[in-house]
Amino acid sequence: GGRHPRATSTVTRSLTPGLTVPADIGVVDLLKLMQAEPSTEYLALERDGSICGVISTADVDAAFRRSAQ
């Protein structure tokens, strides 16, 4: 696949409200957030505030394209 693990230090930047999402966010809520706060990446956080991962807009788009085929 196209996933390449990255150290969080390579994507470090100031966090703008709206660019962090709960790790357990649902698809509909994620899409609403992506429309309201356009960005190339969103930081997924666990309930305790720890970093879970990065959600890439390109990855979400690619997943929808694959599911539509």
Side-chain angles (χ1 to χ4, degrees):
R3 293 184 169 241
H4 302 284
R6 297 187 255 179
T8 54
S9 61
T10 65
V11 293
T12 301
R13 59 182 162 195
S14 61
L15 294 177
T16 303
L19 298 185
T20 60
V21 299
D24 60 355
I25 192 169
V27 174
V28 172
D29 289 335
L30 176 61
L31 294 176
K32 286 179 184 177
L33 179 125
M34 292 172 81
Q35 275 188 321
E37 296 286 345
S39 181
T40 57
E41 296 175 326
Y42 300 85
L43 189 62
L45 302 176
E46 295 290 354
R47 290 182 189 270
D48 66 1
S50 62
I51 298 170
C52 176
V54 176
I55 299 172
S56 162
T57 303
D59 287 346
V60 173
D61 186 49
F64 272 101
R65 282 196 219 140
R66 282 192 305 271
S67 70
Q69 294 177 350

